[in-house]
Amino acid sequence: MMKRLKLAAMLIVAAAVMSACGSKTVRQEGGHGSMNMNTEPNAHDSMNMNMEPEPNAHDSSDASAGHAHPGGERKGAAADASDVKAEWTLAGGGQPEARRETLIRVAITSGGKPVEQFDTAHEQKQHMIIVSKDLSYFSHIHPEYKGGGVFEIATEFPAGGEYKLIADFVPAGGSAMSRMQWVSIGGAADKAKPIEPDGDLTKVVDGKEIALSIDGLAAGEEAMLTYTIADARTEKPVTDLQPYLGAVGHVVILTADAESYLHVHPMDEKASGPEARFMTTFPKSGIYKIWGQFKRGGEVFTVPFIIKVP
Ligand SMILES: [Cu+2]
């Protein structure tokens, strides 16, 4: 049955192609500190796309997300995805420290030249995900486009330690892509929390009870994620979910090592609850953390689950 369902979810699989990892000093901004980061500039050139976009479910810019268009058809003069690189800079008036405002700057280039134009995808020109190494911290923010391929946003890291930054964007007329970067933040680190599968895929967050069920859970297979949302107090189904960034929900998935990343959009973007369904493919067996984000009453809530894909 799953095979018959067409993909309506947009997805990006960032295959863990880390072999080219080196260490590089990120360019220093005048007057600001810089830092060394483990770079993985080409980490996402390999996309694991085994589903065709559903033609009528998205506009073309959405449908292009993460899809390589194997036929070779590509709109516009967009750069070859493999040439697109992100250069990351963290500046905080010194060494980036936890609990201090830190400016994250990411410059997108293609073939060494700035990518000037970006398509808006889900209401933003760039989506940025930040997670701590143990995946206990999750942040989804939207850097401001400064022109010349440069995006900036100020944020605070909650504690010292390693974080992964992920930028999602769509060079104009091209495909959605993501670029990732590990960064090291100074300051006292929290004790790492174990990344263990949840025994029960039901959680209460901000007064909502959210249950996740997954059909077809197997490596390399299409899996359907269904969130069912009820009011935690009354147990009544929630039917007034609001669009969040243009869809009923957003799902971000990372492998336990944070090396593979998927960003999935719902089958029916205009749904309002109590169910929201997402289709994706977990590329391999292992432990994944899944964050679902929804909006109700003007408030965004984020529900995390940890699962094991057999
Ligand atoms: Cu976003």
Side-chain angles (χ1 to χ4, degrees):
M1 170 221 174
M2 302 303 292
K3 290 288 182 200
R4 299 178 63 86
L5 290 163
K6 285 194 178 175
L7 174 69
M10 191 161 92
L11 111 172
I12 299 167
V13 174
V17 185
M18 299 299 158
S19 55
C21 287
S23 178
K24 140 182 137 163
T25 301
V26 174
R27 194 196 306 145
Q28 187 148 355
E29 289 291 283
H32 290 290
S34 70
M35 58 182 303
N36 289 330
M37 297 187 232
N38 302 320
T39 58
E40 43 201 42
N42 298 315
H44 304 100
D45 298 339
S46 168
M47 292 192 181
N48 177 6
M49 290 299 96
N50 45 19
M51 290 173 278
E52 287 299 304
E54 183 171 34
N56 57 3
H58 287 272
D59 65 38
S60 57
S61 66
D62 277 359
S64 69
H67 291 275
H69 294 296
E73 178 234 344
R74 195 190 285 280
K75 291 180 298 156
D80 187 338
S82 63
D83 292 337
V84 176
K85 294 190 167 38
E87 183 174 15
W88 299 79
T89 309
L90 266 64
Q95 182 70 22
E97 286 283 327
R99 293 179 298 282
R100 262 177 38 191
E101 190 168 273
T102 299
L103 186 72
I104 301 171
R105 180 179 189 271
V106 54
I108 312 296
T109 59
S110 174
K113 295 201 191 77
V115 174
E116 298 281 352
Q117 305 277 349
F118 295 86
D119 289 341
T120 296
H122 289 93
E123 302 181 357
Q124 300 290 336
K125 285 194 158 91
Q126 186 178 115
H127 300 257
M128 185 177 288
I129 304 294
I130 303 175
V131 291
S132 55
K133 190 166 190 193
D134 68 356
L135 306 184
S136 63
Y137 174 76
F138 172 91
S139 174
H140 175 176
I141 54 180
H142 299 106
E144 183 184 349
Y145 187 46
K146 306 300 249 185
V150 174
F151 291 84
E152 287 183 353
I153 191 163
T155 193
E156 280 187 28
F157 294 88
E162 305 291 309
Y163 291 81
K164 185 153 234 183
L165 313 180
I166 303 163
D168 264 352
F169 53 90
V170 186
S175 301
M177 57 186 71
S178 61
R179 293 293 182 269
M180 310 205 280
Q181 176 74 57
W182 284 108
V183 298
S184 181
I185 302 299
D190 289 338
K191 191 164 180 291
K193 295 178 185 70
I195 306 174
E196 285 167 357
D198 289 314
D200 175 15
L201 296 184
T202 301
K203 274 195 186 137
V204 173
V205 175
D206 298 341
K208 271 76 66 177
E209 183 183 278
I210 303 109
L212 172 64
S213 68
I214 306 177
D215 281 330
L217 185 61
E221 300 286 331
E222 290 180 17
M224 173 83 83
L225 281 61
T226 303
Y227 289 87
T228 306
I229 301 166
D231 185 292
R233 192 174 51 83
T234 65
E235 297 283 325
K236 286 213 175 84
V238 166
T239 56
D240 57 353
L241 292 175
Q242 297 168 314
Y244 169 51
L245 298 167
V248 65
H250 295 259
V251 167
V252 166
I253 303 172
L254 281 168
T255 46
D257 61 6
E259 301 296 11
S260 290
Y261 167 73
L262 300 93
H263 187 160
V264 191
H265 293 110
M267 305 283 292
D268 176 7
E269 301 213 327
K270 296 187 168 43
S272 58
E275 290 193 343
R277 298 189 306 152
F278 300 81
M279 183 167 277
T280 192
T281 300
F282 296 94
K284 59 186 185 200
S285 298
I287 292 176
Y288 291 78
K289 189 156 184 175
I290 304 173
W291 295 265
Q293 295 196 283
F294 305 93
K295 187 173 174 184
R296 188 192 189 204
E299 301 279 320
V300 175
F301 56 101
T302 301
V303 57
F305 289 109
I306 299 174
I307 64 156
K308 183 162 197 234
V309 174

